[in-house]
Amino acid sequence: MKTHTLAGLVLVTTLMGCNNDDDSSNVKPKETEITKLNIVTANLWLSLSQNFNHKSAFHRAIEEFKYANADILLLSEASGISARLAEALGMYYWQGDDSHTTTGILSKYPIKSVFNDKPEANYDQSGNIGAVLDVNGRDVVVWANHLDYTHYITYDARGGNGVSWQAHTGCLPISDTAQLDAMNAQSKRPAQTQYMLDKLAPYIADGTPIFIGGDFNEASGLDWTADTANMFDHKGTIYDFSTHKMIREAGLIDSYRALFPNPVSHPGITWPFHIKDSWTQGASYSRECGRTLDDRDRIDYIYHSVNHSDLKLLDASIIGPRPNTYFKGPHGEDDTYQWSDPHSGIMVNTEGTPFYGERDFVSDHLWYKTTYQIETPKDSTATTSLNLNPEFSNISLRNDGSDLAIDFTLSNFQLWQENRTYRLVVSGDSTSSRTNGWQSEVLTSKPNGKMTVIVPPSVLTKLKIEAPLHKGLQLRIKSAIGGWHKQYAVKTISTEEIEKVMTIPS
């Protein structure tokens, strides 16, 4: 799809000499144009299941992504929401085979190939997926991460425990580099990162544009420096966290620090930004530390491949409220911080000041947006997107007495596994993905054709009662996997469409 191109052509000419008789003088210059890419990484907090203030987190997230004019979304905690957002935003999506449960990639550009379409021997890390996109005729690799949250050693460096989430006895911090390295190695993060870097190595080597992002559940050594040693309860620790060190050593660039290298003026904090979401609020911290700890960190990132002349980082911003609006430093130190991070989002005024009310933002993480420009071929041919996801089609509605009958075709279930339980779910479009909805039935065999679901009056009445949250009914295909509820495909049927064939009972 040809979108976000800037006027003007870049002409690249190879000169083979100045002899007019040389055939090379007739070589046509290669014509390119500039494509802008807006990339957003977003943790969706339990698949946008937190409907605060009687408002739909799902619909508010859609508006945020539209406002950000996102071309590519790198999602975490997204097992139950990727397909739903893709339908609402008109984007292609990929969420990996069933060994990958919490990440999603959405793109306005066609997906050429994917990295995680089948289980891999000796791989149990989960947490990250990748795809190759066709961005106006040029291959671009994207990768979404939701790395292991255990052994969260930023707590140990502060006097807490990144395994039990309790305070260390006496609130004693661990600052020894070797000890922190050994503790961090017990998490899956290094293995997950190495898996990603192994997959990306050929693309790094040949100069393909690469963008990786997500919730890394690990702070960066570019933030835990000598200048910040006494900020955010770092307790004097200076430490280069291993996951980010691995990524930088592979040749990838931390976009936020590329634009804003000073972690004092631009801490870039993304979690937690609300005091109620901090995991240092328990009694053990009050007892052992004398107070709660300041566990705010930058743990959501977008990295990109080395800046060539044809790839340029233009802008970056934090989406959502400031991290000191609903989380004040526990001993008043926030008043000394500069807080110069740029913010964007629906509730950010023209001066760049956020005015989000409490819980107006839909996640417990702030989101992160970058804007790039890359050179792409002029007059490229559109690519048909790879689609490994099941699809609803041929939807028709009819009145079946007091029930609503929905006829449809369900096909293209390429990743079906015979030993897994799949359900066809009917719910409101904002109903949490972490349930079986308002009605559900087990799919006893791989679907590939016409089906009918009968929706009783009780379900339709629920749609009417909860009208402020929902814009219609949603058909979903789901499976529960390791505590997550993966949604493979959805189809939303608006309230207006239903009311054309029957009166929704009160």
Side-chain angles (χ1 to χ4, degrees), residues 339-370:
W339 300 109
S340 300
D341 300 291
H343 279 252
S344 61
I346 291 175
M347 303 181 79
V348 177
N349 65 25
T350 55
E351 286 74 40
T353 302
F355 56 94
Y356 288 85
E358 188 165 12
R359 297 306 188 188
D360 277 342
F361 196 63
V362 298
S363 178
D364 60 340
H365 287 239
L366 300 177
W367 299 346
Y368 176 50
K369 173 185 175 181
T370 52

Side-chain angles (χ1 to χ4, degrees), residues 38-42 65 68 70 72-74 302 319 367-370:
N38 291 320
I39 303 176
V40 174
T41 187
F65 289 136
I72 297 168
L73 299 177
L74 305 176
I302 295 174
I319 298 178
W367 299 346
Y368 176 50
K369 173 185 175 181
T370 52

Side-chain angles (χ1 to χ4, degrees), residues 157-158 224 230-235 291-294 330-331:
R158 289 180 163 103
W224 282 59
N230 296 310
M231 297 174 66
F232 306 115
D233 278 331
H234 288 190
K235 302 292 182 67
R291 59 172 174 81
T292 61
L293 296 183
D294 188 347
H331 45 83

Side-chain angles (χ1 to χ4, degrees), residues 227-234 263-267 269 294 296 323-324 327-341:
D227 291 335
T228 62
N230 296 310
M231 297 174 66
F232 306 115
D233 278 331
H234 288 190
V264 173
S265 61
H266 293 77
I269 288 164
D294 188 347
R296 290 173 292 181
N324 61 331
F327 190 152
K328 303 295 184 184
H331 45 83
E333 71 276 18
D334 276 12
D335 292 340
T336 68
Y337 297 161
Q338 297 181 49
W339 300 109
S340 300
D341 300 291

Side-chain angles (χ1 to χ4, degrees), residues 2-262:
K2 285 281 184 180
T3 59
H4 305 298
T5 56
L6 302 181
L9 301 180
V10 179
L11 303 183
V12 182
T13 307
T14 303
L15 299 180
M16 304 295 292
C18 50
N19 187 336
N20 289 335
D21 294 329
D22 194 326
D23 289 339
S24 64
S25 64
N26 296 318
V27 174
K28 290 186 67 174
K30 179 183 177 182
E31 295 184 346
T32 63
E33 58 190 1
I34 300 300
T35 296
K36 287 182 66 176
L37 287 176
N38 291 320
I39 303 176
V40 174
T41 187
N43 180 301
L44 300 179
W45 199 12
L46 303 176
S47 303
L48 296 174
S49 61
Q50 310 296 310
N51 294 327
F52 288 110
N53 302 327
H54 306 291
K55 296 179 181 178
S56 164
F58 173 60
H59 289 296
R60 285 187 291 161
I62 290 169
E63 294 308 310
E64 287 282 9
F65 289 136
K66 287 180 177 178
Y67 188 84
N69 198 19
D71 300 300
I72 297 168
L73 299 177
L74 305 176
L75 305 178
S76 54
E77 295 201 32
S79 64
I81 205 74
S82 294
R84 294 166 60 197
L85 287 172
E87 181 199 39
L89 294 168
M91 300 175 81
Y92 305 108
Y93 71 101
W94 173 240
Q95 50 187 345
D97 74 281
D98 286 345
S99 64
H100 303 267
T101 53
T102 67
T103 43
I105 294 171
L106 272 61
S107 171
K108 288 183 180 178
Y109 295 97
I111 299 171
K112 288 186 66 174
S113 61
V114 297
F115 291 92
N116 322 96
D117 56 340
K118 58 180 68 67
E120 299 181 48
N122 303 317
Y123 176 76
D124 65 351
Q125 308 301 332
S126 184
N128 50 10
I129 58 173
V132 180
L133 309 180
D134 179 352
V135 177
N136 290 344
R138 185 171 186 185
D139 284 0
V140 168
V141 178
V142 294
W143 200 278
N145 293 278
H146 185 208
L147 302 187
D148 183 16
Y149 72 96
T150 67
H151 302 277
Y152 187 63
I153 64 168
T154 61
Y155 273 23
D156 298 276
R158 289 180 163 103
N161 187 311
V163 176
S164 69
W165 314 111
Q166 304 300 304
H168 283 159
T169 301
C171 200
L172 294 176
I174 296 173
S175 58
D176 178 73
T177 294
Q179 191 173 357
L180 289 171
D181 283 345
M183 295 171 69
N184 200 58
Q186 295 179 57
S187 81
K188 293 181 179 180
R189 290 187 296 275
Q192 291 170 323
T193 300
Q194 191 60 57
Y195 169 79
M196 173 185 68
L197 294 176
D198 288 346
K199 297 290 187 183
L200 294 178
Y203 300 92
I204 294 173
D206 70 13
T208 302
I210 298 169
F211 305 99
I212 69 172
D215 174 3
F216 285 69
N217 275 313
E218 190 172 306
S220 170
L222 300 184
D223 299 344
W224 282 59
T225 67
D227 291 335
T228 62
N230 296 310
M231 297 174 66
F232 306 115
D233 278 331
H234 288 190
K235 302 292 182 67
T237 299
I238 302 167
Y239 180 64
D240 196 358
F241 292 80
S242 59
T243 292
H244 297 286
K245 185 178 179 181
M246 291 168 64
I247 294 171
R248 296 196 313 270
E249 288 178 347
L252 297 168
I253 296 171
D254 179 338
S255 59
Y256 198 69
R257 285 289 163 253
L259 285 180
F260 309 109
N262 186 346

